[in-house]
Amino acid sequence: MRELEVFFFSIPEWSFWLILAVIFFIAEATSINLTTIWFAIGAISALLLSLTGVSFMTQLIVFLLISIASLLFFLLYFKPRLRSKKKTVRVRTNADRILDQRGIVIKEINPLLGSGMIHVNNEDWSAASLENEIIPVGTEVVIKELRGVKAIVAVDKEVENVH
């Protein structure tokens, strides 16, 4: 242990910060997430200060401040922008097979009562109107979207125009 203390206090300050920066860069390179890059940036900043002859305590304070500042800058500035650029991936489910299918209203769709059922592909689904309209029993509808387990439907205009 004594040898380690002698080694630590005998090396120049700039080499301490260089070794620390290399360790942080290697750790960053081996991880998937941005985890230690902030400390590597802080160590490089402290290394540059050590070359100008600033005290070790000042270097240490700058190391901590730069590390924290770069982490906060990423979290508050870049991360929200990265998240907004990601495309929302719609996970397809087996229920999606009824989208754009035609069904028949088997229980009146009434937005005021929150009721309604349709029959589509040999299955009964709870339903709501896309246009918040009352749709009577027997009306042919088209499934436009799914919200949870409820089919959101619109009256099939093609069938409505034929009658």
Side-chain angles (χ1 to χ4, degrees):
M1 187 67 169
R2 181 82 177 123
E3 294 85 20
L4 187 60
E5 287 180 34
V6 170
F7 171 75
F8 178 74
F9 289 111
S10 67
I11 64 171
E13 292 170 352
W14 66 265
S15 61
F16 167 76
W17 293 115
L18 180 63
I19 292 167
L20 204 56
V22 168
I23 290 170
F24 287 132
F25 277 123
I26 290 171
E28 186 63 45
T30 60
S31 73
I32 295 172
N33 298 322
L34 295 174
T35 53
T36 61
I37 191 71
W38 328 113
F39 300 110
I41 293 169
I44 295 294
S45 302
L47 180 133
L48 294 174
L49 280 180
S50 72
L51 296 175
T52 64
V54 174
S55 73
F56 184 77
M57 188 54 72
T58 304
Q59 295 169 34
L60 187 59
I61 290 169
V62 167
F63 164 74
L64 292 172
L65 289 176
I66 296 291
S67 298
I68 292 168
S70 57
L71 173 62
L72 290 175
F73 183 70
F74 174 78
L75 290 176
L76 300 174
Y77 184 76
F78 281 112
K79 192 171 183 179
R81 283 166 177 70
L82 290 174
R83 190 175 298 133
S84 67
K85 298 233 190 257
K86 288 182 182 176
K87 293 183 179 176
T88 303
V89 177
R90 188 163 193 269
V91 177
R92 303 277 302 174
T93 65
N94 202 24
D96 290 338
R97 72 188 182 289
I98 70 165
L99 289 175
D100 299 320
Q101 297 289 315
R102 287 182 166 72
I104 300 290
V105 176
I106 57 173
K107 180 181 176 187
E108 181 181 69
I109 297 173
N110 188 327
L112 298 174
L113 300 175
S115 64
M117 297 274 307
I118 63 168
H119 185 77
V120 60
N121 291 348
N122 294 321
E123 296 177 337
D124 295 339
W125 284 75
S126 61
S129 169
L130 183 66
E131 303 292 327
N132 286 325
E133 60 187 326
I134 295 174
I135 305 174
V137 172
T139 305
E140 191 167 331
V141 292
V142 176
I143 296 88
K144 295 296 186 180
E145 60 183 273
L146 295 173
R147 291 186 193 148
V149 294
K150 192 169 278 201
I152 309 303
V153 301
V155 175
D156 189 351
K157 300 295 184 193
E158 291 176 16
V159 173
E160 191 177 69
N161 291 335
V162 172
H163 296 302

